[in-house]
Amino acid sequence: MKIKQEQDKLVICPLCGGDAMYESEFTTQDGKVKTWLCMTCGFTSNTTMTLDSESLKQTLELTADFIKDLRKDHEPPGGGEMLAWFPTAITMPNKGMIFPEPIKGAGKEEWMWTVVKAIPIPEDEQYKYPDPTNPGTNYKNKMDMKNLKRYEKLCFMDAAEELGMFDRNLVEDAN
Ligand SMILES: [Zn+2]
């Protein structure tokens, strides 16, 4: 649980060497947690993702095999205990989604960022899209799966721009 967010800063990504990795620090009930998201390669981790941690165990249970295969174990920026890193996946119900997707027929390491934008559901069709998290209400937007845009692995920033992540505070949304 987040209690207080300190100032974000940009650091060098230890995975791809890009100079636009967001580092954020939160004070939680269990102490300080740092999170990282690289705007070049799109990989993310945080200080709870140590290799024998409960956080990593839970993440692996919820993660698709293809993404598990992309896992990288690496020290955080500035050094420290080894952490597990994964490509991020972002869902913003009113804007859309970004997620890594394998390239069909290519090798395990061949994948791209896919951006899907949210489009409004016509009012007379909204009843077909019940929102399970808010019983009695319906979704007003849906993901436009017919119009995908794909970006190279090291172009996460372009994918994020396409989604409109920069219209509001990036790090707030990404977390
Ligand atoms: Zn990176």
Coordinates of all heavy atoms in Angstrom, one line a residue, residues 12-21 37-44 72 85 154, ligand 1:
I12 N 19.8 5.8 -15.1 CA 20.2 5.0 -16.3 C 19.7 3.5 -16.1 O 19.8 3.0 -15.0 CB 21.8 4.9 -16.4 CG1 22.4 6.3 -16.4 CG2 22.2 4.0 -17.6 CD1 22.2 7.0 -17.8
C13 N 19.1 3.0 -17.1 CA 18.5 1.6 -17.1 C 19.7 0.6 -17.1 O 20.5 0.6 -18.0 CB 17.6 1.4 -18.2 SG 17.0 -0.3 -18.3
P14 N 19.8 -0.3 -16.0 CA 20.8 -1.2 -16.0 C 20.6 -2.4 -17.0 O 21.6 -3.1 -17.3 CB 20.7 -1.8 -14.6 CG 19.3 -1.6 -14.2 CD 18.9 -0.4 -14.9
L15 N 19.5 -2.5 -17.6 CA 19.2 -3.5 -18.6 C 19.6 -3.1 -20.0 O 20.2 -3.9 -20.7 CB 17.7 -3.9 -18.6 CG 17.2 -4.4 -17.2 CD1 15.7 -4.6 -17.3 CD2 17.9 -5.6 -16.7
C16 N 19.1 -1.9 -20.5 CA 19.4 -1.5 -21.9 C 20.3 -0.3 -22.0 O 20.7 0.0 -23.1 CB 18.0 -1.2 -22.6 SG 17.3 0.4 -22.0
G17 N 20.7 0.3 -20.8 CA 21.6 1.4 -20.9 C 20.9 2.7 -21.2 O 21.5 3.8 -21.3
G18 N 19.6 2.7 -21.5 CA 18.8 3.9 -21.8 C 18.9 4.9 -20.6 O 19.0 4.5 -19.4
D19 N 18.7 6.2 -20.9 CA 18.9 7.2 -19.8 C 17.5 7.8 -19.3 O 17.5 8.8 -18.7 CB 19.8 8.4 -20.3 CG 19.2 9.1 -21.5 OD1 18.1 8.7 -21.9 OD2 19.9 10.0 -22.0
A20 N 16.5 7.0 -19.6 CA 15.1 7.5 -19.2 C 14.4 6.5 -18.4 O 13.3 6.0 -18.8 CB 14.3 7.9 -20.4
M21 N 15.0 6.0 -17.3 CA 14.3 5.1 -16.4 C 13.8 5.9 -15.2 O 14.5 6.6 -14.5 CB 15.3 4.0 -16.0 CG 14.7 3.1 -14.9 SD 15.8 1.8 -14.4 CE 15.0 0.5 -15.4
L37 N 10.8 2.0 -13.9 CA 10.2 1.7 -15.2 C 11.0 2.4 -16.3 O 11.2 3.7 -16.3 CB 8.7 2.3 -15.3 CG 8.1 2.2 -16.7 CD1 8.0 0.7 -17.2 CD2 6.7 2.8 -16.7
C38 N 11.6 1.6 -17.2 CA 12.4 2.2 -18.2 C 11.6 2.6 -19.4 O 10.8 1.8 -20.0 CB 13.5 1.2 -18.7 SG 14.5 1.8 -20.1
M39 N 11.7 3.9 -19.9 CA 10.9 4.3 -21.0 C 11.5 3.9 -22.3 O 10.9 4.1 -23.4 CB 10.8 5.9 -20.9 CG 10.1 6.4 -19.7 SD 8.4 5.6 -19.4 CE 7.6 6.2 -20.9
T40 N 12.7 3.3 -22.3 CA 13.3 2.8 -23.5 C 12.9 1.3 -23.8 O 12.3 1.0 -24.8 CB 14.8 3.0 -23.5 OG1 15.1 4.3 -23.2 CG2 15.4 2.6 -24.8
C41 N 13.2 0.5 -22.8 CA 13.0 -1.0 -23.0 C 11.6 -1.4 -22.4 O 11.2 -2.5 -22.6 CB 14.1 -1.8 -22.5 SG 14.4 -1.8 -20.8
G42 N 11.0 -0.6 -21.5 CA 9.8 -0.9 -20.9 C 9.8 -1.9 -19.8 O 8.8 -2.4 -19.3
F43 N 11.0 -2.3 -19.4 CA 11.1 -3.2 -18.3 C 10.9 -2.5 -16.9 O 11.2 -1.3 -16.8 CB 12.5 -3.9 -18.3 CG 12.5 -5.2 -19.1 CD1 12.4 -5.1 -20.5 CD2 12.6 -6.4 -18.6 CE1 12.4 -6.2 -21.3 CE2 12.6 -7.6 -19.4 CZ 12.5 -7.5 -20.7
T44 N 10.3 -3.3 -16.0 CA 10.0 -2.7 -14.7 C 10.3 -3.7 -13.6 O 10.4 -4.9 -13.8 CB 8.5 -2.4 -14.7 OG1 8.2 -1.7 -13.4 CG2 7.6 -3.6 -14.8
K72 N 14.4 -10.9 -16.8 CA 15.8 -10.7 -16.6 C 16.1 -10.5 -15.2 O 15.4 -9.8 -14.5 CB 16.3 -9.5 -17.4 CG 16.2 -9.7 -18.9 CD 16.6 -8.4 -19.7 CE 16.4 -8.6 -21.2 NZ 16.7 -7.4 -21.9
W85 N 13.2 -8.7 -13.3 CA 12.6 -7.6 -14.2 C 11.7 -8.2 -15.3 O 12.1 -9.2 -15.8 CB 13.7 -6.8 -14.8 CG 14.6 -6.1 -13.9 CD1 15.6 -6.7 -13.1 CD2 14.6 -4.7 -13.5 NE1 16.2 -5.8 -12.3 CE2 15.7 -4.5 -12.6 CE3 13.9 -3.6 -14.0 CZ2 15.9 -3.3 -12.0 CZ3 14.2 -2.4 -13.4 CH2 15.2 -2.2 -12.5
L154 N 12.7 -1.6 -28.2 CA 13.3 -0.5 -27.5 C 12.6 0.8 -27.8 O 13.2 1.9 -27.6 CB 14.8 -0.4 -27.9 CG 15.6 -1.6 -27.4 CD1 17.1 -1.5 -27.9 CD2 15.6 -1.7 -25.9
Ligands
ZN1 ZN 15.8 -0.2 -20.3

